Amino acid sequence: MSSGIMQRTNITDSAIPDSVTPHPAVNWVWLAPFLLALAWFWANILAVKWLLSSFVEIPTLYKIVIGFLIVALVVRSIGNSDRPPGFSPNFVLRRDPLVLMLGAGICSIALQYIIDIKQVTVLLFILGTYGLCGLLVEQNFWQKNLPVAGLLACILPFNSQFNSGLGLPARVLTAQVVEQLLSMLHVAAISSYDIILLENGIAHVDVPCSGIKTLLVGTLFLLSATWLEGRKLSLRWLAVGAANLLMLVSANAARVAVLVLVSEVFNQPKIAEIIHVPLGIVGLVCACFVTWLMLQRVPKFQPEKTSGISAKLNSEILENHPLAKPGIIAAVTVLAVMAQLSHVETSKMAIAPLRLPEYIKSESIPLNASEQKFFGNYPDTQTQKIRFVAGNLRGSMLTVASTSWQTYHAPELCFVASGIPVNRIEKKQLTPAVTGRWLSLKENQLSATYWLQSAQHTTDNFLSRIGSDLTHKNHNWVLVSILFNSSLPAENPEVKEFAGNVYASVKQSLQGEMNENQTGI
């Protein structure tokens, strides 16, 4: 009887078709992570395109480091575990990976609305993608190797293009911080853009002085030490990271201040050139050493037990909720839609041609080769360059209209690059409405002035222009740069009259364009 029962049971089991019950479950198991990944990559499609297009420009050393990290990750994960890390298509809604993924997505969209810096967007995309992976792999493996995701997020997007993103405001901020430091030492200095001008010389805060590479290397050191020593990412670790950032920024500002003092105050440019790199290395090494000492107080990572009710509750949230996974997929899909809406091209304002008073005789002149190359990278930028004669005044004027702060460059840099040395920069009230920078050039043989102007405001500070993007998205600004063919005082009545007329013409063009846009609407 027992054998008959067994035989009947076996026949019954073998007669069940494979497609009766398992298929819907299997299909959903594979369909859910596919839909989630599809929604996530759709939400970050521009970051993916930028990353792929820029990867070919990453230096060979960066590619070697990335390859080393991937190999080291595989070797370390296999060597430190009894079995390879498991992968399951049936993703688990764990708290930390989910917070990282959704948080990175929300921050990315918010930053794109406020101020769009591609490298930061790519960094958030990489971190969010690792958060997505945390829903599919074993929890301890994901937590232990989270610093590796940070390393890749720092290395992949921050190649040579990085200096056109955060490098610009970093240099401006560094120049202004150094100006304040010199003022505390009773050294007269004025910073403009990434220029620091003292009474007896000019110092250019160039790309190496921005501190971006120092910040990158210091951050990579912190993440590498955290991963190799198995330190736990916690609030205490975040405090160490904040202290590391502060030390790196302070060390770079002190380095630039010392270089400016040695080069310009003590008139020893050769010594400044010699100590330029060693000072940077010393500051970086000291900051990293102190960071490593503080890191020793961060507890090491302890793998969580994979058995037990409490461990199970800590590893998965909304476990028994039937709409949990569809809800997460829907949430990421909403983020994707919002991301696409943020990239919809809107009608951008463009300055109308300047209509100068009749007493100003002008003719258009072409941009030089360097200007054409620079502005060619920004097709939405509108430039106008003229040669003018206004009474006893003669010279040239360049206006640059754009909605992006990344379009602008310091006129001082153009003068220096053209072989016209800058001897002095002063802040002058050219008209009641215009506060500009007044430049003495070529051993006081020439004079120049410039300011930044919108329909409502004017400023001589590039950092203020950058800050305006935080509150005025797609807001049009015009850089007005005027070079006179002779040495003139800013108080000259003809200069004031000319500056006032240019200001009025730019304002009329901006407001006229705004009125045309409103009428069209």
Side-chain angles (χ1 to χ4, degrees), residues 334-353:
V334 171
L335 290 179
V337 173
M338 293 175 61
Q340 300 307 313
L341 292 177
S342 68
H343 300 309
V344 174
E345 292 293 332
T346 57
S347 58
K348 296 182 178 179
M349 294 186 296
I351 184 174

Side-chain angles (χ1 to χ4, degrees), residues 69-92:
L69 283 176
I70 295 175
V71 173
L73 174 61
V74 174
V75 172
R76 184 177 173 84
S77 61
I78 294 177
N80 291 350
S81 58
D82 298 332
R83 55 185 178 82
F87 170 84
S88 173
N90 186 18
F91 68 87
V92 179

